Amino acid sequence: MGLLTAAGWGALAAFSLVVGAWLAYRPRPVPPTRVGMVMGFGSGALLAAIAYELVPTGFHQDVLLFSAFGLGAVVFFFADALVAGRRTMGAASAERSLVIGTLLDGVPESMVLGIGVAMGGEVAVAFLVAVFVSNLPESIGATAAMREHGHTRAQTYRMWWLIVAVSALAAAIGFLLYHVVPRADGGYVEAFAAGAVLTMLADSMIPEAYRQGGKATGLLAVLGFAVAGALSALQ
């Protein structure tokens, strides 16, 4: 039952990808400025989730935890660089890169949700909200690009539902890893995910949010951080 619960939370967090696709297909799509603003809010919320939920206590005193944090950053960096290298190889490769890039973001996040269920039967609300919100602008932008490349609505929704399924699977894997990782609180996996998500924020999400949303992005990022921090404190 716990495994199914973890998978359900992973699917719920990723479901905002489908919502983002629906928003992109509306007769009046969401303006890029608003997409950037939502992305800025989501960036701040994810930063708070990293600070309050993912980075374990005593992180700076444990060499292995620190190494896991660095490993997550390095793995995401090189995987993302590989994807970026393929984006110049034509429309088909660009579309595959969109899928891979979304998975690079979503897999570690979903694993953390699964670990939370394994640890105490519940998830960190602040992190769940942060992931859900941050997925929206990513899906809106990617869906718009797929429309330009001639994808049908059915093909686009099928892709996002597939990623929702993969996210559910990743959350289930995170649940199982809790019982395998040689640390009672699953700290190594959480530290790895923190490094990967932080690198994603610095490399792509925050710059893109500023590019689309302008100066207001900074204020919205602070608001996102405050909201996620408050949710973490209330839990």
Side-chain angles (χ1 to χ4, degrees):
M1 182 61 70
L3 189 67
L4 293 177
T5 300
W9 284 117
L12 176 62
F15 178 70
S16 54
L17 294 170
V18 179
V19 176
W22 175 78
L23 291 172
Y25 273 113
R26 292 177 62 197
R28 296 179 61 183
V30 181
T33 301
R34 293 185 183 178
V35 173
M37 289 180 175
V38 174
M39 194 177 295
F41 181 90
S43 297
L46 277 176
L47 284 171
I50 292 171
Y52 297 120
E53 304 290 349
L54 296 188
V55 177
T57 303
F59 164 77
H60 61 288
Q61 299 174 340
D62 190 323
V63 175
L64 291 179
L65 280 176
F66 192 81
S67 299
F69 180 79
L71 181 62
V74 170
V75 168
F76 181 90
F77 176 83
F78 283 107
D80 187 59
L82 179 63
V83 171
R86 293 182 176 180
R87 287 176 183 158
T88 60
M89 297 173 59
S93 293
E95 290 154 8
R96 286 196 297 269
S97 295
L98 291 173
V99 178
I100 296 172
T102 304
L103 289 174
L104 286 176
D105 299 348
V107 167
E109 295 167 348
S110 298
M111 290 178 66
V112 169
L113 292 171
I115 290 171
V117 174
M119 289 173 59
E122 57 185 27
V123 298
V125 175
F127 187 69
L128 178 65
V129 170
V131 172
F132 190 93
V133 172
S134 65
N135 279 338
L136 284 171
E138 186 174 11
S139 174
I140 292 171
T143 299
M146 295 182 73
R147 290 181 66 182
E148 292 177 2
H149 291 152
H151 277 251
T152 65
R153 185 176 301 205
Q155 289 173 327
T156 303
Y157 277 117
R158 188 159 53 243
M159 185 201 74
W160 292 126
W161 279 114
L162 177 61
I163 294 178
V164 170
V166 172
S167 299
L169 178 61
I173 291 173
F175 180 89
L176 294 175
L177 278 176
Y178 171 79
H179 302 288
V180 177
V181 173
R183 188 174 179 85
D185 59 359
Y188 295 140
V189 179
E190 289 188 335
F192 179 92
V197 174
L198 184 57
T199 305
M200 177 273 293
L201 286 170
D203 281 0
S204 58
M205 192 167 176
I206 293 175
E208 183 65 15
Y210 181 81
R211 187 183 71 82
Q212 295 191 46
K215 289 282 188 180
T217 303
L219 293 176
L220 288 166
V222 173
L223 178 61
F225 189 98
V227 170
L231 289 173
S232 181
L234 291 173
Q235 191 173 11

